[in-house]
Amino acid sequence: MGRYALRRLLQMIPVFIGSTFLIFFMVYALGDPVAALFGDKAPDPATAARIRKDLYLDEPLWRQYAHYMGQIFSGHFGTAFNGQPVTELMASAFPVTLRLTLVAVAFEMALGITLGVLSGLRRGRGLDTSVLLLTLVVVSVPTFVSGTVLQYLFGVSWGWARPSVSPEAPLNELLLPGVVLGLVSLAYTTRLTRTSIVENARADYVRTAVAKGLPRHRIVTRHLLRNSLIPVVTFIGTDVGALMGGAIVTERIFNIHGVGYQLYQGILRQNSPTVVGFVTILVIVFLLANLLVDLLYAVLDPRIRYA
Amino acid sequence: MTACGGGGGGGADAGVVRSSWGDPPNPLEPANTNDVQGGKVLDMIFRGLKRYDPRTGEAKNALAERIESSDQRNYTITLKKGRRFANGEKVTAASFVNAWNYGARIDHKQRNAYFFEYIEGYDKVHPASGAAPTAKTLSGLRVRNDRTFTVRLTQKFSTWPKTLGYNAYVPLPRAFFTDHAAWLRKPIGNGPYQVRSYAKGSVMKLRAWDGYLGPDKARNKGVDLRVYTDSNTAYTDLQAGNLDLVDDVPAQQLKFVRSDLGNRYINQPAGIIQTLTFPMYDHVWSGPARAKVRRGISMAINRAQITERIFQGTRTPATDWTSPVLRRQGGYQPGLCGDACRYDPVRARKLIKAGGGLPGGRMTITYNADTGSHKDWVDAVCNSVNTVLRNDRACVGKPVGTFADYRNKMAGKKMTGPFRAGWQMDYPLIQNFLQPLYYTGASSNDGHFSDTGFDRLVNQANAASADGRAIAGFRDAEKILAEQMPAIPLWYQNGSAGYSRRLSEVALNQFSVPVYSQIRVG
């Protein structure tokens, strides 16, 4: 297990370098960002040249990348155009998005697995059909629609929640945006759990457990659920990374100043240090979540062993 | 509805205005801030020599007691007595001279450095080549005593004192130079408000400063500026009672804003004009015969219809190259563009034909697609031209992905047809709408228009000793634009704002920025 984890960690290095270079290249390909710093006015060439030199933008791409990576390894992620160090932006943005993601994942796990189990055990009946229909609706409604509608209903019409989240982003204000963010994944979790439960309900070990006369809740939680959760855990694990990166829409609707907000600003202003810095962290989160999922397999199913 | 009852819901401090804000893209230094959002803050925490009256736009003395000149080139500036910065430091002549020297010097990379270009010695501290400066300070600036300094300009510039209301010219306290990083975290100024806290990218809390001696003391206890990424969210927050003031009503809400807010919706002209500028460096668009084509295209645009349908009346069809906020005495002259800005399909078709038709039979309108929903109106303008020319493919929009790329194409003279241009004035002067945009080689002359007659008239106007003569001179110069049409005036942009029941006496100034100090709460 230890060697497996180590091997996985080492594999992350090329993935990390490759992905950061790709992002760097893509932001670079958007063109020279300095002109936009001057708004609708034409930049004064001498000042623009100084700014370009300061930001290493007058160097060829590979030199910029090497310089940037050198900075990263010394813990310095560069400076945003408004003069703020990117690490400072990260320190303010990541905790907020992490909280939002946790709310979304908790919601998606609790409700998704429960609904999935219930409908899986009652396959073909009324509840199952309505859950399937409901998830279909949820999957087909894009986040910006569900977000705006729920925001209007809860925030303006009924006044149950604040339509926007304050800068400190406390947990209770993140409930509504978290639910919106988790909605689509919730549908997937439900459907995955349901299928898995249906499949395993006919397995030999379940039949054995029933034959042994075990109580029903024990069969479902210990035998059926534990084996059925493997694909669900895989999905949720990768989903953590996807949710953090995909929070752009939700964060924009609810005015949450998290990762999505910073990424959006960074892309809009073509600020490569911000974009690359944030995506770098997201890549790490994604890789770690994947590793964690793989390691969890062994816990859920002892037959899976890592050499 | 329920949240508004007590007037204090949603975490509002008593007497404090909660206002929407956008994250300023640049550090908040006076000579480095060229965007509306940053300018908003500077306008609250600073007062310069002059200040533009929020209602009339007239440049009135603020910190200046008098600004005198006998030759429109050498100016003597005397300050009012007893003015201080919020940290107790006295505002002296040196506070201005040091600030201006800082702003002009190339090593400081200030985006507004060019505002000091008329002061003698600018070429030494800010060499156009970008090389190391040969002087540290502007030779044209001299401190005479605590309250007096003199300025020597490189040329005659009669309206120069009126430009001094711009944010780049405010004084700076010593703290700015001694602990720059700390100052940036929490700027210190001399205006009616002081910064209490600043969480970059999310909220700035400003509170009224008791020590302010100017006539425009804050009538409220303070202002919280909250950053919104999406103006729709800000508008929703206003409806829910979590916000008091939005100064950018989103386009999607314009249809409902009257029924939502009633008379708490403001829609008034701002010092912004939108044009279609021609690449005069491209031979297919320049030359005397092409002037007819350019005028013809202008006549083919149905401005009234587009401003009504697409902008819901938040823009006004333009009939000159300035803005209504200047008012007639400031140089605005409705109708100066004449027939060329009037929709006339028949004459438009004739003129374009007489000028040899569109180059190659077709044209594109270039715009940046990332912000401002420019696509809608560009398509509408093309539609209008196509209908007039009875050719579906005569005119098409040509989007460019990002604003930066758009600006780079402009700077690199890579435009192949007319392109979208917008001008937001720096100060309410007719000079500001003409010289930077159409004078040969001027800083924002993106179409690279050059006309000796125009240049001569601008020079004469700048040298005029009387105000009225200067304005008349600029108007004459503007008439050359009407003949040659290097840029088609499209429409004047309005500022729009909406506010909650907690507030009263909300108004926008000519820059479409709310006049915060005059707002009353409760």
Side-chain angles (χ1 to χ4, degrees):
Chain A
M1 182 103 163
R3 274 186 58 189
Y4 174 77
L6 187 72
R7 206 167 69 218
R8 285 292 304 267
L9 282 172
L10 285 177
Q11 278 171 1
M12 283 184 189
I13 295 170
V15 176
F16 179 72
I17 292 177
S19 53
T20 46
F21 184 78
L22 270 180
I23 298 150
F24 211 90
F25 179 75
M26 286 189 277
V27 178
Y28 180 89
L30 287 174
D32 177 13
V34 173
L37 293 178
F38 291 81
D40 260 329
K41 311 250 161 74
D44 154 44
T47 311
R50 284 289 179 109
I51 295 174
R52 241 175 241 129
K53 190 171 166 55
D54 252 31
L55 297 170
Y56 267 81
L57 290 170
D58 54 345
E59 303 276 351
L61 176 63
W62 69 271
R63 289 275 293 273
Q64 287 188 37
Y65 181 69
H67 171 77
Y68 182 76
M69 287 314 266
Q71 276 189 325
I72 281 195
F73 284 116
S74 57
H76 184 68
F77 276 80
T79 320
F81 289 156
N82 68 357
Q84 221 178 351
V86 173
T87 37
E88 214 173 86
L89 295 179
M90 290 176 178
S92 71
F94 270 99
V96 174
T97 301
L98 200 66
R99 276 205 293 277
L100 179 67
T101 314
L102 286 181
V103 172
V105 170
F107 166 72
E108 148 190 357
M109 272 171 65
L111 202 64
I113 294 177
T114 317
L115 278 179
V117 170
L118 289 179
S119 61
L121 291 176
R122 288 172 180 72
R123 193 160 74 103
R125 284 197 250 163
L127 177 83
D128 184 31
T129 325
S130 38
V131 165
L132 278 182
L133 258 175
L134 209 71
T135 52
L136 194 69
V137 172
V138 168
V139 170
S140 53
V141 176
T143 309
F144 68 87
V145 175
S146 59
T148 324
V149 169
L150 290 180
Q151 178 192 42
Y152 187 77
L153 290 180
F154 281 88
V156 182
S157 296
W158 303 331
W160 291 352
R162 285 173 57 115
S164 73
V165 173
S166 54
E168 300 80 32
L171 216 52
N172 60 332
E173 286 181 14
L174 289 175
L175 284 180
L176 182 62
V179 167
V180 169
L181 178 62
L183 264 184
V184 174
S185 307
L186 165 80
Y188 286 119
T189 313
T190 311
R191 292 189 150 212
L192 262 176
T193 315
R194 177 191 171 272
T195 316
S196 195
I197 291 272
V198 167
E199 217 171 79
N200 286 328
R202 280 173 300 190
D204 292 343
Y205 62 87
V206 175
R207 218 181 313 151
T208 313
V210 174
K212 276 201 293 190
L214 286 180
R216 189 174 156 80
H217 74 265
R218 200 173 156 78
I219 299 172
V220 172
T221 51
R222 298 305 300 255
H223 295 258
L224 187 53
L225 197 55
R226 189 165 164 173
N227 284 288
S228 307
L229 277 186
I230 291 180
V232 181
V233 166
T234 315
F235 173 73
I236 292 177
T238 48
D239 202 36
V240 171
L243 284 179
M244 283 191 87
I248 294 187
V249 177
T250 317
E251 291 194 353
R252 199 174 148 86
I253 295 173
F254 292 95
N255 200 40
I256 301 169
H257 299 284
V259 173
Y261 164 72
Q262 296 295 355
L263 267 177
Y264 176 75
Q265 292 281 51
I267 291 168
L268 210 65
R269 294 174 184 166
Q270 271 174 259
N271 195 352
S272 21
T274 318
V275 178
V276 181
F278 274 80
V279 176
T280 304
I281 301 285
L282 283 179
V283 167
I284 295 175
V285 170
F286 205 82
L287 291 174
L288 286 179
N290 265 312
L291 177 63
L292 198 70
V293 167
D294 285 354
L295 295 179
L296 264 180
Y297 280 166
V299 180
L300 284 170
D301 187 347
R303 284 172 302 177
I304 304 174
R305 284 268 173 261
Y306 303 112
Chain B
M1 290 306 267
T2 47
C4 307
D13 289 354
V16 172
V17 180
R18 301 164 300 173
S19 176
S20 70
W21 194 34
D23 191 22
N26 302 325
L28 267 179
E29 298 165 286
N32 209 5
T33 298
N34 56 2
D35 67 296
V36 179
Q37 303 303 336
K40 210 185 261 185
V41 175
L42 294 180
D43 189 49
M44 291 164 86
I45 63 171
F46 276 109
R47 284 295 175 264
L49 294 168
K50 292 262 186 185
R51 177 169 165 78
Y52 303 112
D53 186 290
R55 275 186 305 119
T56 63
E58 191 193 336
K60 289 182 172 164
N61 280 346
L63 260 61
E65 196 167 273
R66 22 175 221 281
I67 302 175
E68 296 158 321
S69 174
S70 51
D71 59 357
Q72 283 78 51
R73 192 172 164 195
N74 288 289
Y75 289 91
T76 305
I77 298 168
T78 312
L79 302 178
K80 282 181 182 156
K81 270 185 222 160
R83 296 301 172 91
R84 287 177 188 277
F85 290 102
N87 63 357
E89 189 188 323
K90 267 170 91 176
V91 180
T92 63
S95 318
F96 281 96
V97 170
N98 292 341
W100 295 7
N101 278 327
Y102 182 91
R105 204 161 132 202
I106 188 158
D107 299 326
H108 300 132
K109 294 162 292 199
Q110 302 285 295
R111 286 153 180 84
N112 291 332
Y114 65 93
F115 277 89
F116 305 100
E117 69 188 350
Y118 295 107
I119 299 173
E120 212 167 69
Y122 180 76
D123 52 337
K124 299 274 192 318
V125 298
H126 196 114
S129 59
T134 52
K136 286 185 172 176
T137 52
L138 293 160
S139 57
L141 294 179
R142 283 258 151 55
V143 176
R144 298 295 170 187
N145 60 49
D146 239 24
R147 279 174 53 211
T148 319
F149 66 105
T150 56
V151 184
R152 184 174 163 78
L153 304 181
T154 51
Q155 60 174 72
K156 288 188 173 190
F157 190 171
S158 59
T159 48
W160 181 76
K162 294 188 168 186
T163 67
L164 296 174
Y166 188 71
N167 283 328
Y169 296 113
V170 298
L172 284 168
R174 272 191 297 273
F176 178 87
F177 306 99
T178 51
D179 193 350
H180 192 234
W183 192 93
L184 281 181
R185 276 195 300 277
K186 198 175 168 184
I188 301 162
N190 63 333
Y193 292 94
Q194 54 181 329
V195 179
R196 173 179 284 178
S197 66
Y198 180 21
K200 273 192 185 149
S202 60
V203 62
M204 179 184 265
K205 297 191 174 192
L206 296 134
R207 291 296 174 263
W209 175 44
D210 292 336
Y212 179 65
L213 294 179
D216 51 344
K217 266 178 102 74
R219 290 181 184 171
N220 45 58
K221 291 218 172 97
V223 178
D224 286 354
L225 295 174
R226 300 188 188 166
V227 173
Y228 283 86
T229 15
D230 190 337
S231 55
N232 275 301
T233 312
Y235 190 79
T236 312
D237 253 358
L238 177 72
Q239 285 180 303
N242 284 323
L243 194 70
D244 296 317
L245 176 61
V246 295
D247 59 356
D248 174 23
V249 177
Q252 299 96 305
Q253 308 287 355
L254 287 173
K255 277 182 198 147
F256 319 107
V257 70
R258 290 265 174 221
S259 57
D260 283 350
L261 298 174
N263 55 8
R264 287 178 288 121
Y265 167 61
I266 305 174
N267 176 20
Q268 70 175 52
I272 305 170
I273 183 168
Q274 245 99 43
T275 61
L276 278 187
T277 301
F278 288 93
M280 302 301 279
Y281 44 81
D282 188 340
H283 71 275
V284 303
W285 285 109
S286 57
R290 294 299 183 187
K292 283 186 186 157
V293 178
R294 296 194 295 267
R295 285 169 64 92
I297 295 171
S298 174
M299 285 173 128
I301 300 169
N302 192 342
R303 294 173 179 77
Q305 194 184 46
I306 295 171
T307 49
E308 200 39 58
R309 295 238 180 108
I310 292 183
F311 296 116
Q312 308 284 337
T314 57
R315 316 250 155 133
T316 314
T319 56
D320 81 335
W321 281 261
T322 67
S323 158
V325 301
L326 295 182
R327 315 207 297 177
R328 277 170 189 270
Q329 53 268 50
Y332 167 62
Q333 189 176 340
L336 185 137
C337 177
D339 288 348
C341 290
R342 233 166 272 144
Y343 179 59
D344 189 340
V346 179
R347 283 187 59 200
R349 207 161 17 215
K350 275 190 194 143
L351 260 176
I352 293 174
K353 211 170 165 192
L358 297 178
R362 47 185 318 217
M363 65 184 245
T364 55
I365 296 177
T366 313
Y367 62 97
N368 57 309
D370 56 347
T371 47
S373 55
H374 296 305
K375 184 183 190 316
D376 296 346
W377 68 259
V378 168
D379 286 351
V381 166
C382 269
N383 228 333
S384 193
V385 172
N386 290 345
T387 312
V388 167
L389 294 181
R390 300 193 186 114
N391 175 359
D392 274 357
R393 289 206 239 135
C395 174
V396 284
K398 185 178 174 190
V400 172
T402 63
F403 182 62
D405 199 16
Y406 183 67
R407 288 282 354 165
N408 284 324
K409 281 209 162 57
M410 220 182 261
K413 295 192 182 181
K414 291 202 183 103
M415 295 294 181
T416 51
F419 52 92
R420 148 195 115 72
W423 179 254
Q424 165 134 28
M425 66 178 187
D426 300 311
Y427 25 79
L429 288 180
I430 183 171
Q431 179 268 348
N432 190 237
F433 280 93
L434 299 178
Q435 192 168 0
L437 292 156
Y438 307 109
Y439 193 86
T440 302
S443 56
S444 288
N445 187 347
D446 294 319
H448 295 267
F449 171 69
S450 175
D451 184 90
T452 44
F454 180 88
D455 293 355
R456 201 183 57 240
L457 287 168
V458 166
N459 288 340
Q460 277 171 10
N462 275 330
S465 54
D467 238 32
R469 285 205 2 235
I471 287 169
F474 280 116
R475 268 196 190 136
D476 289 341
E478 203 183 339
K479 281 175 191 144
I480 291 185
L481 299 181
E483 281 160 30
Q484 307 222 359
M485 199 64 84
I488 298 175
L490 291 173
W491 32 74
Y492 313 116
Q493 188 170 323
N494 287 10
S496 65
Y499 55 96
S500 73
R501 289 199 171 82
R502 284 180 81 213
L503 306 188
S504 57
E505 292 177 54
V506 182
L508 299 177
N509 65 16
Q510 298 80 25
F511 305 91
S512 78
V513 170
V515 189
Y516 286 103
S517 61
Q518 301 306 299
I519 296 175
R520 290 186 193 276
V521 185

